[in-house]
Amino acid sequence: MSRTLAVWIAFVVISVGTYLFRASFLIAADRGTKVPERWRTPLRMIPPAVLAALVAPALLRPAQVFDPFGPRALAGLVALVVALVTRNILATIVVGLAAAVGFELLLG
Amino acid sequence: MSGQDEPRRDQRSPIREFGAGAAAMAPILVGIVPLGLIGGVATVEAGLGIAEAMGFSALAFAGAAQLAALDLMARDTSLPVVVMTALVINVRVVMYSASIAPHLAHLPRRRRLAASYMLVDQVYAISIVRFTRDAEIDRWRFFVGAAVPMLMVWVSTTGLGVLVGDAVPDAVPLAFALPLAFIALLVPTVTDRPGVVAALTAAVVATVAAPLPANLGMPLAATAGILAGWIAAARRETV
Protein backbone atom coordinates (compact mmCIF):
# COMPACT_ATOMS: atom_id res chain seq x y z
CA MET A 1 0.00 0.00 0.00
CA SER A 2 1.40 3.40 -0.92
CA ARG A 3 1.96 5.88 1.85
CA THR A 4 -0.49 8.36 0.36
CA LEU A 5 -3.25 5.77 0.33
CA ALA A 6 -2.45 4.80 3.91
CA VAL A 7 -2.57 8.45 4.95
CA TRP A 8 -5.97 8.98 3.31
CA ILE A 9 -7.30 5.91 5.06
CA ALA A 10 -6.02 7.38 8.33
CA PHE A 11 -7.81 10.66 7.51
CA VAL A 12 -11.07 8.83 6.87
CA VAL A 13 -10.81 6.80 10.07
CA ILE A 14 -10.07 9.94 12.10
CA SER A 15 -12.97 11.75 10.43
CA VAL A 16 -15.49 8.96 10.88
CA GLY A 17 -14.48 8.47 14.50
CA THR A 18 -14.70 12.18 15.19
CA TYR A 19 -18.08 12.38 13.48
CA LEU A 20 -19.39 9.56 15.65
CA PHE A 21 -18.17 11.35 18.78
CA ARG A 22 -19.90 14.53 17.62
CA ALA A 23 -23.11 12.73 16.72
CA SER A 24 -23.10 10.62 19.89
CA PHE A 25 -25.63 12.58 21.92
CA LEU A 26 -27.25 14.35 19.00
CA ILE A 27 -28.58 11.19 17.40
CA ALA A 28 -30.61 10.43 20.47
CA ALA A 29 -31.17 14.08 21.39
CA ASP A 30 -34.89 13.57 21.57
CA ARG A 31 -34.29 11.08 24.38
CA GLY A 32 -32.16 13.42 26.51
CA THR A 33 -29.33 11.20 27.76
CA LYS A 34 -26.33 12.82 29.51
CA VAL A 35 -22.59 12.22 29.98
CA PRO A 36 -22.11 10.34 33.26
CA GLU A 37 -20.52 12.59 35.87
CA ARG A 38 -17.60 10.23 36.45
CA TRP A 39 -16.32 10.69 32.88
CA ARG A 40 -16.31 14.45 32.88
CA THR A 41 -13.02 14.96 34.70
CA PRO A 42 -10.87 12.63 32.61
CA LEU A 43 -12.44 14.07 29.46
CA ARG A 44 -11.47 17.53 30.61
CA MET A 45 -7.87 16.44 31.25
CA ILE A 46 -7.33 15.16 27.72
CA PRO A 47 -6.62 18.37 25.78
CA PRO A 48 -4.08 19.77 28.30
CA ALA A 49 -2.28 16.44 28.56
CA VAL A 50 -2.16 15.66 24.85
CA LEU A 51 -1.19 19.18 23.78
CA ALA A 52 1.51 19.40 26.46
CA ALA A 53 2.86 15.99 25.40
CA LEU A 54 3.16 17.26 21.84
CA VAL A 55 4.76 20.59 22.75
CA ALA A 56 7.31 19.68 25.42
CA PRO A 57 9.83 17.66 23.36
CA ALA A 58 9.82 20.29 20.61
CA LEU A 59 10.75 22.94 23.17
CA LEU A 60 13.03 21.01 25.51
CA ARG A 61 14.60 18.42 23.23
CA PRO A 62 14.94 20.01 19.79
CA ALA A 63 17.30 17.96 17.65
CA GLN A 64 17.00 15.09 20.16
CA VAL A 65 19.22 16.77 22.76
CA PHE A 66 17.92 17.92 26.14
CA ASP A 67 18.33 21.69 26.05
CA PRO A 68 16.15 23.35 28.70
CA PHE A 69 17.77 26.75 28.32
CA GLY A 70 18.22 26.71 24.57
CA PRO A 71 16.65 29.17 22.10
CA ARG A 72 13.58 26.97 21.48
CA ALA A 73 12.87 26.48 25.19
CA LEU A 74 13.19 30.19 25.92
CA ALA A 75 11.07 31.13 22.89
CA GLY A 76 8.47 28.63 24.11
CA LEU A 77 8.44 30.26 27.52
CA VAL A 78 7.94 33.68 25.94
CA ALA A 79 5.12 32.27 23.81
CA LEU A 80 3.48 30.75 26.88
CA VAL A 81 3.48 34.10 28.65
CA VAL A 82 2.06 35.83 25.59
CA ALA A 83 -0.66 33.17 25.31
CA LEU A 84 -1.59 33.57 28.97
CA VAL A 85 -1.69 37.35 28.82
CA THR A 86 -3.26 38.00 25.41
CA ARG A 87 -5.23 34.79 24.72
CA ASN A 88 -4.48 35.65 21.11
CA ILE A 89 -3.33 32.90 18.75
CA LEU A 90 -1.72 35.16 16.16
CA ALA A 91 0.21 37.14 18.76
CA THR A 92 1.49 33.95 20.39
CA ILE A 93 2.80 32.56 17.13
CA VAL A 94 4.32 35.78 15.80
CA VAL A 95 6.04 36.71 19.06
CA GLY A 96 7.16 33.11 19.56
CA LEU A 97 8.74 32.95 16.11
CA ALA A 98 10.41 36.32 16.61
CA ALA A 99 11.72 35.13 19.98
CA ALA A 100 13.03 31.93 18.40
CA VAL A 101 14.93 33.86 15.76
CA GLY A 102 16.17 36.36 18.36
CA PHE A 103 17.36 33.79 20.88
CA GLU A 104 18.97 31.79 18.10
CA LEU A 105 21.01 34.84 17.10
CA LEU A 106 21.90 35.63 20.72
CA LEU A 107 22.73 32.13 21.87
CA GLY A 108 23.04 29.89 18.83
CA MET B 1 -37.56 45.35 28.13
CA SER B 2 -35.19 43.12 26.21
CA GLY B 3 -36.64 41.43 23.15
CA GLN B 4 -39.21 44.10 22.60
CA ASP B 5 -37.46 45.73 19.67
CA GLU B 6 -36.42 42.41 18.11
CA PRO B 7 -38.60 41.25 15.24
CA ARG B 8 -40.88 38.39 16.19
CA ARG B 9 -39.50 35.01 15.24
CA ASP B 10 -41.76 34.51 12.26
CA GLN B 11 -40.87 37.95 10.94
CA ARG B 12 -37.10 37.41 10.99
CA SER B 13 -35.56 36.78 7.62
CA PRO B 14 -33.49 33.62 7.21
CA ILE B 15 -30.56 35.69 5.95
CA ARG B 16 -30.45 37.66 9.16
CA GLU B 17 -30.43 34.55 11.26
CA PHE B 18 -27.65 32.87 9.28
CA GLY B 19 -25.91 36.25 9.41
CA ALA B 20 -26.13 36.32 13.19
CA GLY B 21 -24.16 33.10 13.35
CA ALA B 22 -21.61 34.35 10.86
CA ALA B 23 -21.24 37.64 12.73
CA ALA B 24 -20.62 35.83 16.00
CA MET B 25 -18.00 33.69 14.28
CA ALA B 26 -16.21 36.52 12.44
CA PRO B 27 -13.79 37.63 15.19
CA ILE B 28 -12.82 34.03 15.82
CA LEU B 29 -12.03 33.45 12.17
CA VAL B 30 -9.14 35.89 12.40
CA GLY B 31 -7.45 33.52 14.83
CA ILE B 32 -8.23 30.49 12.67
CA VAL B 33 -6.29 31.84 9.67
CA PRO B 34 -2.82 31.38 11.24
CA LEU B 35 -3.80 27.92 12.46
CA GLY B 36 -4.89 26.93 8.97
CA LEU B 37 -1.71 28.27 7.41
CA ILE B 38 0.33 26.35 9.94
CA GLY B 39 -1.75 23.27 9.16
CA GLY B 40 -0.77 23.67 5.54
CA VAL B 41 2.90 23.99 6.43
CA ALA B 42 2.63 20.96 8.72
CA THR B 43 1.11 19.02 5.83
CA VAL B 44 4.17 19.74 3.73
CA GLU B 45 6.45 18.79 6.64
CA ALA B 46 4.62 15.46 6.72
CA GLY B 47 5.51 14.93 3.08
CA LEU B 48 2.00 15.56 1.77
CA GLY B 49 0.44 18.03 -0.60
CA ILE B 50 -2.44 20.42 -1.09
CA ALA B 51 -4.98 17.69 -1.83
CA GLU B 52 -4.20 16.05 1.50
CA ALA B 53 -4.25 19.38 3.32
CA MET B 54 -7.68 20.39 2.05
CA GLY B 55 -9.05 16.87 2.04
CA PHE B 56 -8.13 16.31 5.66
CA SER B 57 -9.68 19.64 6.63
CA ALA B 58 -12.90 18.94 4.76
CA LEU B 59 -13.23 15.41 6.13
CA ALA B 60 -12.21 15.91 9.74
CA PHE B 61 -12.94 19.61 10.29
CA ALA B 62 -10.90 19.39 13.49
CA GLY B 63 -8.14 21.94 14.19
CA ALA B 64 -6.03 20.70 17.08
CA ALA B 65 -6.43 17.04 16.15
CA GLN B 66 -5.36 17.65 12.56
CA LEU B 67 -2.32 19.64 13.63
CA ALA B 68 -1.36 16.93 16.09
CA ALA B 69 -1.81 14.19 13.48
CA LEU B 70 0.29 16.07 10.93
CA ASP B 71 2.98 16.80 13.50
CA LEU B 72 3.21 13.11 14.38
CA MET B 73 3.28 12.11 10.72
CA ALA B 74 6.18 14.47 10.12
CA ARG B 75 8.00 12.66 12.94
CA ASP B 76 7.47 9.27 11.30
CA THR B 77 5.00 8.02 13.85
CA SER B 78 3.13 4.86 12.90
CA LEU B 79 -0.30 5.62 11.45
CA PRO B 80 -2.26 3.66 14.09
CA VAL B 81 -0.69 5.88 16.76
CA VAL B 82 -1.46 8.96 14.67
CA VAL B 83 -5.10 7.91 14.35
CA MET B 84 -5.40 7.05 18.05
CA THR B 85 -3.90 10.41 19.07
CA ALA B 86 -6.26 12.37 16.85
CA LEU B 87 -9.25 10.43 18.14
CA VAL B 88 -8.21 10.85 21.77
CA ILE B 89 -7.86 14.59 21.28
CA ASN B 90 -11.35 14.65 19.79
CA VAL B 91 -13.08 12.49 22.39
CA ARG B 92 -13.93 15.64 24.33
CA VAL B 93 -16.45 16.59 21.61
CA VAL B 94 -18.69 13.96 23.18
CA MET B 95 -19.20 16.54 25.93
CA TYR B 96 -20.10 19.18 23.36
CA SER B 97 -22.58 16.77 21.85
CA ALA B 98 -24.21 16.08 25.20
CA SER B 99 -24.24 19.76 26.08
CA ILE B 100 -25.81 21.04 22.87
CA ALA B 101 -28.20 18.12 22.30
CA PRO B 102 -31.05 19.59 24.38
CA HIS B 103 -30.86 22.78 22.30
CA LEU B 104 -31.08 20.93 19.00
CA ALA B 105 -33.39 18.14 20.09
CA HIS B 106 -36.31 19.75 18.26
CA LEU B 107 -34.59 19.41 14.89
CA PRO B 108 -35.42 16.55 12.54
CA ARG B 109 -32.86 13.76 12.69
CA ARG B 110 -31.34 14.60 9.32
CA ARG B 111 -30.46 18.08 10.51
CA ARG B 112 -29.04 16.77 13.76
CA LEU B 113 -26.78 14.44 11.79
CA ALA B 114 -25.73 17.35 9.58
CA ALA B 115 -25.11 19.52 12.63
CA SER B 116 -22.89 16.76 14.03
CA TYR B 117 -20.46 17.21 11.16
CA MET B 118 -20.17 20.88 12.07
CA LEU B 119 -19.78 20.50 15.84
CA VAL B 120 -16.36 22.11 16.06
CA ASP B 121 -14.96 23.77 19.22
CA GLN B 122 -15.58 27.33 18.13
CA VAL B 123 -19.00 26.65 16.59
CA TYR B 124 -20.03 24.83 19.76
CA ALA B 125 -18.71 27.60 22.02
CA ILE B 126 -20.50 30.51 20.39
CA SER B 127 -23.66 28.50 19.82
CA ILE B 128 -24.05 27.28 23.39
CA VAL B 129 -23.53 30.78 24.71
CA ARG B 130 -26.10 32.21 22.33
CA PHE B 131 -28.64 29.44 22.80
CA THR B 132 -28.63 29.76 26.56
CA ARG B 133 -29.00 33.53 26.32
CA ASP B 134 -31.55 33.85 23.56
CA ALA B 135 -34.58 31.61 23.36
CA GLU B 136 -35.98 33.24 20.23
CA ILE B 137 -33.39 32.65 17.53
CA ASP B 138 -33.60 29.93 14.95
CA ARG B 139 -30.86 27.65 16.29
CA TRP B 140 -30.35 25.66 13.13
CA ARG B 141 -29.77 28.79 11.09
CA PHE B 142 -27.47 30.36 13.66
CA PHE B 143 -25.46 27.15 13.92
CA VAL B 144 -25.11 26.70 10.17
CA GLY B 145 -24.38 30.42 9.73
CA ALA B 146 -21.49 30.05 12.15
CA ALA B 147 -20.19 26.73 10.86
CA VAL B 148 -20.09 27.31 7.12
CA PRO B 149 -17.71 30.32 7.18
CA MET B 150 -15.53 28.41 9.62
CA LEU B 151 -15.37 25.41 7.30
CA MET B 152 -14.59 27.58 4.30
CA VAL B 153 -11.81 29.45 6.09
CA TRP B 154 -10.36 26.25 7.53
CA VAL B 155 -10.23 24.35 4.23
CA SER B 156 -8.92 27.29 2.24
CA THR B 157 -6.23 28.38 4.71
CA THR B 158 -4.88 24.88 5.11
CA GLY B 159 -4.64 24.71 1.31
CA LEU B 160 -3.04 28.13 1.19
CA GLY B 161 -0.56 27.15 3.88
CA VAL B 162 0.86 24.47 1.61
CA LEU B 163 1.74 27.20 -0.88
CA VAL B 164 2.79 29.85 1.66
CA GLY B 165 5.43 27.71 3.34
CA ASP B 166 7.79 28.25 0.44
CA ALA B 167 7.40 32.02 0.45
CA VAL B 168 8.76 32.51 3.96
CA PRO B 169 12.53 33.21 4.27
CA ASP B 170 14.67 30.35 5.53
CA ALA B 171 15.79 32.25 8.62
CA VAL B 172 12.30 31.95 10.08
CA PRO B 173 11.84 28.45 11.55
CA LEU B 174 8.29 28.04 10.22
CA ALA B 175 8.07 24.47 11.47
CA PHE B 176 8.42 25.88 14.99
CA ALA B 177 5.09 27.63 14.42
CA LEU B 178 3.37 24.30 15.03
CA PRO B 179 4.51 23.86 18.66
CA LEU B 180 3.69 27.55 19.16
CA ALA B 181 0.18 26.94 17.83
CA PHE B 182 -0.16 24.09 20.33
CA ILE B 183 0.86 26.43 23.14
CA ALA B 184 -1.80 28.91 21.99
CA LEU B 185 -4.38 26.08 21.88
CA LEU B 186 -3.25 24.59 25.18
CA VAL B 187 -3.70 27.65 27.38
CA PRO B 188 -7.50 27.98 27.17
CA THR B 189 -7.96 24.25 27.86
CA VAL B 190 -6.30 24.52 31.27
CA THR B 191 -9.09 25.82 33.47
CA ASP B 192 -8.13 24.58 36.91
CA ARG B 193 -5.31 23.16 39.05
CA PRO B 194 -5.83 19.53 37.94
CA GLY B 195 -5.48 20.75 34.35
CA VAL B 196 -2.11 22.29 35.22
CA VAL B 197 -1.07 19.01 36.86
CA ALA B 198 -2.13 17.11 33.75
CA ALA B 199 -0.18 19.40 31.43
CA LEU B 200 3.00 19.49 33.55
CA THR B 201 3.01 15.73 34.07
CA ALA B 202 2.55 15.12 30.37
CA ALA B 203 5.31 17.61 29.53
CA VAL B 204 7.82 16.00 31.88
CA VAL B 205 7.06 12.43 30.79
CA ALA B 206 7.09 13.39 27.12
CA THR B 207 10.50 15.01 27.45
CA VAL B 208 12.00 12.12 29.39
CA ALA B 209 10.43 9.46 27.14
CA ALA B 210 11.29 11.26 23.89
CA PRO B 211 14.01 8.78 22.89
CA LEU B 212 11.52 5.89 22.81
CA PRO B 213 10.99 4.44 19.32
CA ALA B 214 7.95 5.08 17.15
CA ASN B 215 7.18 8.23 19.17
CA LEU B 216 5.65 6.07 21.91
CA GLY B 217 6.69 8.66 24.45
CA MET B 218 3.85 10.87 23.32
CA PRO B 219 0.85 8.63 24.05
CA LEU B 220 2.61 7.46 27.21
CA ALA B 221 2.98 11.05 28.37
CA ALA B 222 -0.60 11.93 27.47
CA THR B 223 -1.91 8.96 29.45
CA ALA B 224 0.29 9.86 32.42
CA GLY B 225 -0.97 13.43 32.25
CA ILE B 226 -4.65 12.42 32.08
CA LEU B 227 -4.25 10.07 35.06
CA ALA B 228 -2.31 12.64 37.08
CA GLY B 229 -4.94 15.31 36.44
CA TRP B 230 -7.75 12.87 37.27
CA ILE B 231 -6.09 11.93 40.56
CA ALA B 232 -5.42 15.57 41.41
CA ALA B 233 -9.09 16.38 40.83
CA ALA B 234 -10.24 13.40 42.91
CA ARG B 235 -7.97 14.29 45.81
CA ARG B 236 -9.27 17.83 45.79
CA GLU B 237 -12.80 16.57 46.26
CA THR B 238 -12.00 14.32 49.19
CA VAL B 239 -10.16 17.00 51.18
Side-chain angles (χ1 to χ4, degrees):
Chain A
M1 176 188 299
S2 78
R3 187 186 178 236
T4 307
L5 181 58
V7 164
W8 277 95
I9 292 176
F11 289 171
V12 169
V13 175
I14 290 172
S15 306
V16 170
T18 301
Y19 179 78
L20 291 175
F21 292 154
R22 289 171 173 161
S24 58
F25 284 82
L26 280 170
I27 300 178
D30 35 11
R31 271 187 271 140
T33 19
K34 305 213 151 154
V35 174
E37 190 68 42
R38 60 204 300 247
W39 292 116
R40 293 194 194 180
T41 301
L43 280 175
R44 226 176 54 234
M45 295 299 118
I46 293 175
V50 175
L51 291 171
L54 288 168
V55 171
L59 299 180
L60 300 170
R61 284 190 83 120
Q64 320 314 327
V65 177
F66 185 56
D67 191 10
F69 301 109
R72 293 280 163 104
L74 295 173
L77 197 59
V78 169
L80 181 60
V81 171
V82 172
L84 286 166
V85 168
T86 69
R87 304 267 159 167
N88 183 310
I89 298 181
L90 189 58
T92 305
I93 294 169
V94 169
V95 174
L97 282 176
V101 173
F103 283 123
E104 189 72 40
L105 289 172
L106 275 173
L107 308 166
Chain B
M1 197 191 303
S2 79
Q4 200 156 43
D5 34 10
E6 292 283 317
R8 273 184 25 239
R9 173 128 167 216
D10 49 29
Q11 288 175 340
R12 290 183 177 191
S13 76
I15 307 280
R16 270 188 71 178
E17 307 212 285
F18 285 115
M25 184 54 88
I28 298 177
L29 289 178
V30 178
I32 297 300
V33 171
L35 283 181
L37 293 175
I38 289 171
V41 172
T43 307
V44 172
E45 295 283 314
L48 303 165
I50 194 166
E52 284 76 28
M54 297 177 75
F56 197 12
S57 292
L59 285 171
F61 199 3
Q66 285 179 239
L67 294 180
L70 292 165
D71 182 38
L72 290 174
M73 282 191 265
R75 295 196 250 164
D76 276 322
T77 312
S78 76
L79 286 180
V81 173
V82 171
V83 169
M84 283 305 308
T85 303
L87 289 176
V88 164
I89 291 179
N90 280 342
V91 149
R92 74 188 185 291
V93 304
V94 167
M95 288 199 301
Y96 299 168
S97 185
S99 161
I100 210 162
H103 296 279
L104 301 178
H106 64 289
L107 294 175
R109 168 170 284 187
R110 243 186 19 200
R111 286 195 170 178
R112 278 184 271 132
L113 293 180
S116 300
Y117 166 67
M118 301 180 263
L119 193 60
V120 178
D121 302 74
Q122 294 82 359
V123 173
Y124 164 75
I126 64 168
S127 296
I128 198 73
V129 165
R130 188 59 179 261
F131 295 169
T132 41
R133 224 181 60 202
D134 179 354
E136 290 294 309
I137 49 155
D138 184 312
R139 293 179 201 149
W140 167 251
R141 288 177 189 157
F142 181 89
F143 194 84
V144 171
V148 169
M150 170 92 189
L151 179 64
M152 285 165 45
V153 169
W154 181 239
V155 173
S156 56
T157 53
T158 41
L160 210 63
V162 171
L163 306 170
V164 151
D166 284 335
V168 174
D170 281 336
V172 178
L174 203 52
F176 189 53
L178 189 49
L180 294 175
F182 287 144
I183 291 176
L185 291 170
L186 168 64
V187 165
T189 65
V190 177
T191 52
D192 54 13
R193 267 276 233 69
V196 175
V197 170
L200 286 177
T201 307
V204 169
V205 175
T207 308
V208 167
L212 286 178
N215 218 341
L216 284 172
M218 186 262 143
L220 194 67
T223 309
I226 293 165
L227 290 174
W230 196 355
I231 292 170
R235 287 177 73 194
R236 240 168 153 220
E237 284 157 29
T238 57
V239 164

